[in-house]
Amino acid sequence: MNYEDVMKLALERGFYFPSCEVYADAQAGFWEYGPSGVSLKNKFLELWRRELIRRDGMMEIDGSQIMSKSVFEASGHLGNFADPIIKCTKCKSTFRADRIIAEISKVEIPESADLSEFDNAILQNNIKCPKCKGDFESAKKFNMMFKVGIGPEEEEAYLRPETCQSIFVDFPRLYKTMRGKLPLGIAQVGKSFRNEISPRQSLLRLREFYQAEIEIFCNPTKLDDIEKFTEIENTIIRVQTDSEIVAMTCKKAVESGVVPNKFVAYYLAILTEFYEKTGIDVTKSRFRKLGDKEKAFYAQVAFDFEVETTIGWLELVACNYRSDYDLSSHAVKSKEKFEVMDNEDKVLPHVFEISMGIDRSLYTILEHSMIDDKEHERVVLSIRPYLAPVHVGVLSLIKKDGLKEKTDEIYLQLKRKYDAFLDHSGAIGRRYRRLDEIGAPFAVTIDYQSMEDNTVTIRKRDSMSQERIKISEIDSILARDTAFP
């Protein structure tokens, strides 16, 4: 299944759709989640909390989406958070330089490259405006921050371009009041905002998007002194080395120098284990180490967790070793102290970041889970049962002779505990197909025999197998098969 198939499913089955789509002036890059999408997103985040936050004893906060100008002066975003753009001299259309060059000439230039590299590539490849064939002006930098005015005086502030800055500025208070101890992970889920030049492809590039961000504060002298490493030393991670992807254990990755230390390897491992449980095919994944011109301005070492899709490799998570860049910058700007005590040592912690794009992750789960079952003329979202937007469809064979009332009774018993969908109308085969498309792992059908012996037919999504069970057994089957691992 490809991008177009996922898009069709998303629109028809209530996963996501364009914001303000009834208006012609609706801006690109803003999408909304429907009921199926919200249910999937919430379950994805619950799995994230189970597999990363609780597993590692991290803290979670919920920070403000609007932050002061000083925060982003200290973080470097007002000076460095920019994309290269080029403008047509004739029609005045604006394009992102690295993308237009890649699309027309197939030349890949990192977005953080010097502006002269874009100008040279445009000249050497004779690249013209795709709209009017005009020439381009010299490349410029475009800052992607959304500026807002606070109060009647329009005091300058900004929508956050990433969720991590509130974690950094809150760190001294959190460490003190929550009796922190290094290494300490602090997480946040929420929306970030970036004024993208040309957002496209639905959830893959947005101006308003969800992030699940984790910042792990550590003592930089103890990056190989991590007892938990034994838990994951044999976990296989796939790392891009030069031109090939090599699958290796975390232990081997550290010993060979592919991953710099046990601390980083531990978090790459638990991230891989998490994505495996989402149903994404991790044999199509890689940790790609970024070069100096690719990595973010604050990163010393950076790995992108990327997954292969029908539209190419898609970055789902940025893994950055930010050293003490953020804490030292905020300490200087705010004139507050950010050092903490680690046993007897006074330390300005370093930070390793796991910055996850939720929207892109959900798209990839959908694509990797969709199956075109031509034999049975159906599309199946073969998603993990614990992530399914609907756990069970509750269906009456017909609506008369007391079957509707019996079906309603069973639905009422299930809906407080599971995501259940009640459906009385249409041919039973078509109702099964609709449930298959939203990934419901089970369908329960109430028929005439149900009225006689309190049994129902339970159908399994993937195998299409059906069996007769007692109504009293429905709960235990759903509890067993839809529970988080």
Side-chain angles (χ1 to χ4, degrees):
M1 306 297 280
N2 57 31
Y3 172 79
E4 287 74 21
D5 296 319
V6 176
M7 190 73 254
K8 183 174 183 292
L9 178 79
L11 293 173
E12 292 181 353
R13 294 290 174 248
F15 282 93
Y16 54 86
F17 39 82
S19 178
C20 308
E21 62 180 330
V22 298
Y23 287 102
D25 64 348
Q27 297 292 329
F30 300 95
W31 287 70
E32 308 197 345
Y33 285 99
S36 298
V38 168
S39 183
L40 172 60
K41 177 166 64 69
N42 288 342
K43 293 182 176 77
F44 174 87
L45 289 173
E46 175 58 21
L47 184 66
W48 173 77
R49 289 187 172 101
R50 290 170 63 96
E51 297 299 312
L52 295 170
I53 308 307
R54 295 173 197 152
R55 169 176 177 164
D56 215 45
M58 300 180 187
M59 303 175 185
E60 184 176 352
I61 68 165
D62 187 0
S64 175
Q65 296 181 36
I66 298 175
M67 304 183 76
S68 74
K69 178 182 178 182
S70 295
V71 170
F72 300 112
E73 287 178 334
S75 70
H77 282 85
L78 288 182
N80 299 298
F81 195 62
D83 276 345
I85 62 170
I86 47 176
K87 180 179 284 191
C88 176
T89 58
K90 187 177 177 181
C91 70
K92 304 303 180 184
S93 296
T94 300
F95 303 89
R96 185 162 155 172
D98 56 332
R99 294 222 183 99
I100 202 74
I101 291 169
E103 288 174 5
I104 295 176
S105 69
K106 309 304 179 186
V107 174
E108 298 284 347
I109 302 176
E111 61 189 63
S112 57
D114 294 334
L115 293 176
S116 59
E117 292 189 44
F118 300 108
D119 293 335
N120 291 337
I122 291 169
L123 184 64
Q124 291 168 7
N125 293 280
N126 194 30
I127 295 174
K128 302 294 184 181
C129 174
K131 291 186 177 180
C132 72
K133 304 304 178 184
D135 294 325
F136 286 114
E137 297 175 2
S138 297
K140 299 176 182 177
K141 289 287 187 181
F142 171 73
N143 193 290
M144 295 185 292
M145 299 282 287
F146 274 110
K147 184 178 178 180
V148 296
I150 305 295
E153 300 302 322
E154 297 272 317
E155 187 176 349
E156 186 176 348
Y158 292 86
L159 288 170
R160 63 188 184 191
E162 56 185 15
T163 55
C164 64
Q165 290 305 319
S166 51
I167 295 176
F168 298 138
V169 298
D170 292 346
F171 173 72
R173 174 179 291 276
L174 291 170
Y175 195 85
K176 179 180 179 181
T177 59
M178 304 305 294
R179 301 175 67 190
K181 182 179 179 182
L182 298 180
L184 173 65
I186 302 177
Q188 180 171 197
V189 174
K191 284 191 172 182
S192 295
F193 305 85
R194 296 180 185 179
N195 196 8
E196 293 283 354
I197 298 157
S198 54
R200 51 189 170 178
Q201 292 182 310
S202 64
L203 301 188
L204 305 189
R205 188 162 291 277
L206 296 161
R207 288 179 166 134
E208 177 183 359
F209 56 96
Y210 283 100
Q211 283 183 298
E213 204 137 30
I214 297 171
E215 308 297 328
I216 305 106
F217 298 84
C218 61
N219 186 329
T221 66
K222 298 180 180 179
L223 298 180
D224 281 308
D225 182 17
I226 174 168
E227 294 180 4
K228 296 179 293 186
F229 185 75
T230 56
E231 297 176 17
I232 56 82
E233 63 182 3
N234 294 317
T235 296
I236 301 295
I237 58 175
R238 294 166 53 82
V239 185
Q240 179 91 44
T241 59
D242 298 325
S243 60
E244 62 178 348
I245 301 171
V246 178
M248 63 181 76
T249 65
C250 287
K251 184 177 181 180
K252 183 178 179 182
V254 173
E255 291 173 349
S256 63
V258 171
V259 176
N261 51 63
K262 292 180 178 179
F263 184 80
V264 170
Y266 172 79
Y267 288 102
L268 299 188
I270 65 172
L271 185 64
T272 298
E273 292 175 359
F274 163 73
Y275 271 106
E276 189 167 23
K277 291 181 179 179
T278 68
I280 285 175
D281 185 354
V282 294
T283 66
K284 295 181 178 179
S285 71
R286 67 184 182 189
F287 285 102
R288 185 173 66 87
K289 188 174 183 179
L290 304 188
D292 290 339
K293 289 189 175 182
E294 288 184 286
K295 63 189 180 184
F297 61 88
Y298 46 71
Q300 274 193 359
V301 178
F303 290 91
D304 278 352
F305 179 75
E306 300 175 336
V307 176
E308 191 173 12
T309 69
T310 56
I311 55 173
W313 286 97
L314 197 59
E315 177 200 338
L316 303 189
V317 189
C319 305
N320 299 306
Y321 187 77
R322 302 175 71 123
S323 68
D324 64 356
Y325 174 87
D326 301 281
L327 296 191
S328 61
S329 297
H330 286 300
V332 170
K333 181 71 176 177
S334 67
K335 297 180 173 56
E336 297 290 336
K337 296 185 182 301
F338 280 72
E339 297 93 345
V340 298
M341 296 303 297
D342 182 31
N343 295 324
E344 303 300 319
D345 301 322
K346 192 174 186 180
V347 177
L348 181 62
H350 283 203
V351 176
F352 182 66
E353 171 182 74
I354 305 172
S355 178
M356 180 181 296
I358 296 173
D359 312 278
R360 288 181 168 202
S361 296
L362 297 181
Y363 167 82
T364 306
I365 290 170
L366 290 177
E367 185 184 297
H368 279 212
S369 300
M370 280 185 71
I371 298 171
D372 184 5
D373 183 0
K374 290 185 170 59
E375 179 184 354
H376 299 102
E377 298 181 342
R378 64 179 187 145
V379 171
V380 185
L381 186 61
S382 187
I383 199 168
R384 297 291 172 90
Y386 43 82
L387 293 181
V390 172
H391 292 129
V392 59
V394 185
L395 319 175
S396 57
L397 186 64
I398 58 174
K399 290 194 287 185
K400 60 183 181 178
D401 300 330
L403 267 65
K404 179 184 182 299
E405 290 73 16
K406 188 71 170 178
T407 303
D408 291 343
E409 178 186 327
I410 293 172
Y411 172 70
L412 289 173
Q413 292 172 6
L414 296 175
K415 72 173 187 175
R416 295 288 294 272
K417 192 171 180 181
Y418 306 99
D419 284 319
F421 182 76
L422 178 67
D423 196 350
H424 289 300
S425 61
I428 196 71
R430 285 199 295 272
R431 284 186 272 170
Y432 284 152
R433 297 297 184 266
R434 287 197 292 266
L435 289 169
D436 291 342
E437 287 190 1
I438 60 171
F442 297 103
V444 169
T445 302
I446 293 82
D447 55 21
Y448 284 110
Q449 187 176 338
S450 305
M451 306 296 289
E452 298 173 2
D453 60 9
N454 279 325
T455 65
V456 294
T457 298
I458 188 165
R459 174 187 181 267
K460 295 184 178 179
R461 175 196 65 203
D462 295 331
S463 66
M464 300 175 63
S465 64
Q466 299 186 35
E467 64 175 307
R468 203 81 198 174
I469 64 169
K470 295 178 181 179
I471 292 173
S472 59
E473 295 175 326
I474 299 174
D475 181 62
S476 60
I477 291 173
L478 294 181
R480 179 193 67 205
D481 291 344
T482 66
F484 282 98

